[in-house]
């Protein structure tokens, strides 16, 4: 894989991470947001989505939705736990797709699933773009005993 390809994948991961981070944040910051309306419109497997929308379950469904999207976004942006975030994202997108699915309809949720599969598959190649790793290298270089002071560099 070329360096350019890695940069494109890195940019895809960052942009996708931002999409999920933003989506999670807007839900968390909006006290009136709920998944209830989306779930009530379920046309397929409505028995499952009726269970999700019951008064006993909607609170944890909302919580998982809001904070799950936020966590997926943070993971993709930081490059930490990308495979786990990709699996969580795929499951979340399947749950979004199933209630309104019309075969052979391909909507954004199917595209998102495909992007998560790409990110999952190329996670090892993108490890060098892990934010935690980059930051640790940076801070290690700051405090390295071999580091020359600005006076020594003249």
């Amino acid at each position: 894989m070329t360096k350019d390809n890695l940069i494109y994948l890195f940019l895809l991961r960052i942009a996708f991470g931002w999409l999920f981070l933003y989506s999670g944040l807007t839900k968390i910051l909006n006290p009136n947001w709920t998944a209830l309306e989306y779930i009530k419109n379920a046309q397929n497997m409505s028995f499952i989505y009726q269970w999700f929308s019951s008064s006993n379950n909607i609170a944890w469904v909302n919580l998982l939705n809001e904070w799950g999207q936020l966590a997926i976004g943070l993971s993709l942006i930081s490059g930490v736990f990308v495979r786990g975030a990709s699996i969580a994202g795929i499951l979340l997108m399947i749950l979004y797709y199933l209630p309104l699915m019309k075969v052979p309809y391909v909507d954004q949720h199917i595209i998102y699933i495909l992007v998560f599969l790409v990110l999952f598959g190329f996670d090892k190649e993108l490890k060098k773009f892990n934010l935690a790793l980059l930051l640790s290298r940076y801070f290690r270089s700051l405090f390295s005993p071999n580091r020359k002071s600005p006076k020594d560099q003249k």
Side-chain angles (χ1 to χ4, degrees), residues 9 12-21 23 68-77 81-96 108-123 126:
L9 282 170
L12 175 67
R13 192 186 78 200
I14 296 299
F16 213 56
W18 175 251
L19 177 73
F20 276 81
L21 177 74
S23 183
Q69 286 185 3
L70 180 81
I72 289 167
L74 287 172
S75 176
L76 294 179
I77 290 169
F81 304 121
V82 170
R83 287 183 160 218
S86 295
I87 291 169
I90 289 168
L91 294 174
L92 188 61
M93 292 303 104
I94 289 170
L95 286 171
Y96 280 9
Q108 72 271 20
H109 301 107
I110 297 300
I111 305 302
Y112 291 171
I113 289 169
L114 293 173
V115 172
F116 278 124
L117 286 171
V118 168
L119 295 175
F120 182 90
F122 287 101
D123 181 47
L126 287 171

Side-chain angles (χ1 to χ4, degrees), residues 4-37:
D4 286 347
N5 290 345
L6 286 174
I7 291 170
Y8 299 143
L9 282 170
F10 170 72
L11 292 174
L12 175 67
R13 192 186 78 200
I14 296 299
F16 213 56
W18 175 251
L19 177 73
F20 276 81
L21 177 74
Y22 182 79
S23 183
L25 274 176
T26 57
K27 288 173 176 66
I28 291 167
L29 296 175
N30 179 356
N32 298 319
W33 182 85
T34 181
L36 192 57
E37 289 304 313

Side-chain angles (χ1 to χ4, degrees), residues 20 24 52 67 77 81 98 105 107 109 117 146 151:
F20 276 81
F52 282 147
W67 290 95
I77 290 169
F81 304 121
L98 289 178
Y105 180 64
D107 70 358
H109 301 107
L117 286 171
N146 298 330
K151 292 178 190 176

Side-chain angles (χ1 to χ4, degrees), residues 30-101:
N30 179 356
N32 298 319
W33 182 85
T34 181
L36 192 57
E37 289 304 313
Y38 187 83
I39 293 172
K40 281 186 175 180
N41 290 325
Q43 299 165 2
N44 303 304
M45 300 171 33
S46 58
F47 61 95
I48 293 173
Y49 291 95
Q50 285 174 357
W51 181 77
F52 282 147
S53 67
S54 73
S55 59
N56 294 334
N57 296 324
I58 194 63
W60 66 261
V61 167
N62 287 339
L63 188 75
L64 283 177
N65 196 340
E66 298 162 345
W67 290 95
Q69 286 185 3
L70 180 81
I72 289 167
L74 287 172
S75 176
L76 294 179
I77 290 169
S78 69
V80 178
F81 304 121
V82 170
R83 287 183 160 218
S86 295
I87 291 169
I90 289 168
L91 294 174
L92 188 61
M93 292 303 104
I94 289 170
L95 286 171
Y96 280 9
Y97 180 71
L98 289 178
L100 304 176
M101 174 181 64

